[in-house]
Amino acid sequence: MTTVLDSSFVLRPRVASACSCLVTPTSTPSGGPYLNQLMKSQGKLWFGTAADIPGTDETTDPAYLTILTDPKNFGEMTPANTMKFMFTEPEQGVFNYTGSDYFLDLAEKSGDLVRCHNLIWLSQLSPWVTEGNWTAETLTAVMENHIKTLITHWSDRCYSWDVINEALAGNGSFSSSIWYDTIGPDYFHLAYQFATEAVEATGKDIKLYYNDYGIESPGEKTTATYALIKDLQSRNIRIDGVGLESHFEVGGTPSTADQLEAMQGYIALGVDVVQTELDIRFPTAPYYNETGQAEQAQDYYQSVAACMLVGPHCIGTTVWDFDDYYSWVPSSFPGQGGADIYNDTLQRKPAYYAIAEAIQGLPCTVC
Ligand code: XIL
């Protein structure tokens, strides 16, 4: 493989306060290729990233923010946490918009679209929801109020909403959740019906998505997702797209052909697809040897290539944060890491250059 280095980049310690050294370099990679610029030149809406802002070190890290807010790099930002239920409705009927407003302001100042994430999920719920004593009727009212209030509040500052996140288990049945266990399978179409009503009331074009992992290649869960989309359509309920999370493992990433086939299935139903949370983690250390880097580059290449090859209805690719230092992987998958396209000192990895080549339809020189 060819090792690609940013000659303009000066290594920067990420935990400056941990030492009293005089080294305070803040330079970031400059010079192309730029991934959002390339995606747009190919007719896509964006190359995007999640960011866990506000409330984390990302919020005030100048080197991180320089990369994040440069429209050449990113054209979409997804809030990694701040719009989730536990933060937006911490007490029943009491909504907190502060963190999300901060995020939206930053995204808009950077010229980014925002995929608002998410309304109804089994995780990161407020305790009053998970500990409440609900009937199907009372919990449906909670769901309706949450969905309608947030969609109405931010209106088309949200390009799209992930209305339901991760509803399905690996075999394609609904996962156990407070929503499913209390309301039953109807909770699914009801959530989209409430979202449709809210969008219609705004008079804006706010896209409604279903977002999940394990639906990026053919299989039981993908087939079940097709059925959910068809069910909404048969009820005349709005569904604009499917978010393919794309949390993959190095060496375990679906082939381009498989990702293409799954995408073609969604698109044939008349919806768009987005790679919404792409990252490709190493199941074990080391994360930075040359062979591993090339393998990871290949996995990123073959994933982004699917979005490029499938045509205009794959509207963009978003990574789930862009550097290993702030990646969610080490805390959620102990022992695993190195999943992102910049390393933990904000240097571009071979995976970054592989994506640039995939976007342009060039052979991968770093794989
Ligand atoms: C993750 C965040 O990145 C973490 O900070 C948080 O602790 C847990 O959730 N699928 C999703 C995202 O749809 O919302 C999750 O985000 C990652 C998996």
Side-chain angles (χ1 to χ4, degrees):
M1 79 154 231
T2 319
T3 303
V4 186
L5 293 172
D6 289 301
S7 53
S8 60
F9 184 80
V10 181
L11 196 69
R12 185 187 73 101
R14 298 305 296 281
V15 193
S17 55
C19 82
S20 56
C21 33
L22 290 170
V23 190
T24 53
T26 53
S27 91
T28 51
S30 57
Y34 297 110
L35 301 183
N36 185 46
Q37 209 170 53
L38 287 174
M39 282 294 253
K40 289 204 159 133
S41 76
Q42 299 293 322
K44 302 295 184 194
L45 281 188
W46 67 68
F47 189 82
T49 183
D52 199 358
I53 288 175
T56 65
D57 291 350
E58 289 178 27
T59 317
T60 52
D61 179 335
Y64 175 87
L65 290 170
T66 299
I67 298 174
L68 175 69
T69 59
D70 184 340
K72 296 196 291 305
N73 294 325
F74 300 111
E76 188 276 332
M77 271 168 63
T78 305
N81 283 298
T82 189
M83 286 188 181
K84 289 173 178 172
F85 205 118
M86 62 188 289
F87 301 112
T88 46
E89 196 179 351
E91 290 169 57
Q92 185 166 12
V94 179
F95 287 85
N96 183 349
Y97 305 117
T98 314
S100 304
D101 283 340
Y102 185 96
F103 186 91
L104 286 163
D105 288 346
L106 178 69
E108 287 162 5
K109 262 189 265 160
S110 316
D112 289 353
L113 295 171
V114 176
R115 297 191 74 263
C116 290
H117 174 78
N118 59 58
L119 292 165
I120 299 296
W121 189 24
L122 50 76
S123 193
Q124 293 184 280
L125 288 165
S126 309
W128 67 265
V129 177
T130 46
E131 290 160 19
N133 196 5
W134 307 106
T135 63
E137 202 185 344
T138 56
L139 192 63
T140 299
V142 166
M143 196 169 76
E144 177 169 9
N145 190 44
H146 188 77
I147 291 171
K148 290 189 170 173
T149 301
L150 292 190
I151 290 180
T152 306
H153 183 79
W154 285 306
S155 187
D156 64 353
R157 297 183 77 188
C158 297
Y159 165 80
S160 63
W161 267 106
D162 290 331
V163 178
I164 296 190
N165 201 44
E166 301 181 352
L168 295 173
N171 67 1
S173 64
F174 281 114
S175 300
S176 170
S177 69
I178 186 85
W179 312 108
Y180 175 73
D181 298 345
T182 310
I183 304 170
D186 284 352
Y187 98 89
F188 193 89
H189 76 254
L190 286 171
Y192 283 87
Q193 185 189 309
F194 299 144
T196 301
E197 288 166 8
V199 169
E200 281 172 1
T202 66
K204 310 282 186 183
D205 181 22
I206 306 159
K207 311 284 187 198
L208 301 182
Y209 271 69
Y210 175 67
N211 188 58
D212 209 338
Y213 62 91
I215 59 167
E216 304 89 354
S217 53
E220 284 178 312
K221 198 166 168 178
T222 299
T223 304
T225 306
Y226 295 154
L228 289 176
I229 294 163
K230 285 190 225 166
D231 180 64
L232 294 176
Q233 291 172 333
S234 74
R235 296 173 193 269
N236 282 316
I237 295 173
R238 183 169 180 151
I239 175 78
D240 297 286
V242 178
L244 310 171
E245 290 187 13
S246 310
H247 293 293
F248 299 136
E249 278 183 21
V250 175
T253 297
S255 66
T256 299
D258 281 354
Q259 294 192 51
L260 202 49
E261 189 181 333
M263 287 179 185
Q264 283 164 340
Y266 299 113
I267 292 168
L269 298 175
V271 295
D272 290 334
V273 295
V274 182
Q275 293 173 313
T276 52
E277 305 188 9
L278 178 62
D279 61 11
I280 306 183
R281 61 189 187 268
F282 287 90
T284 50
Y287 307 142
Y288 297 108
N289 70 32
E290 203 170 316
T291 321
Q293 291 291 291
E295 243 181 279
Q296 184 183 49
Q298 170 61 38
D299 288 347
Y300 268 101
Y301 181 88
Q302 73 199 36
S303 301
V304 175
C307 181
M308 304 314 297
L309 290 169
V310 82
H313 287 290
C314 180
I315 65 165
T317 297
T318 294
V319 289
W320 203 246
D321 231 318
F322 58 87
D323 77 312
D324 291 338
Y325 186 77
Y326 290 122
S327 168
W328 74 302
V329 167
S331 54
S332 296
F333 302 88
Q336 308 193 31
D340 290 352
I341 61 174
Y342 291 75
N343 71 8
D344 55 9
T345 54
L346 286 176
Q347 286 179 296
R348 293 165 176 169
K349 292 158 68 175
Y352 178 102
Y353 296 96
I355 291 173
E357 291 175 333
I359 297 172
Q360 297 171 87
L362 300 170
C364 186
T365 61
V366 291
C367 295

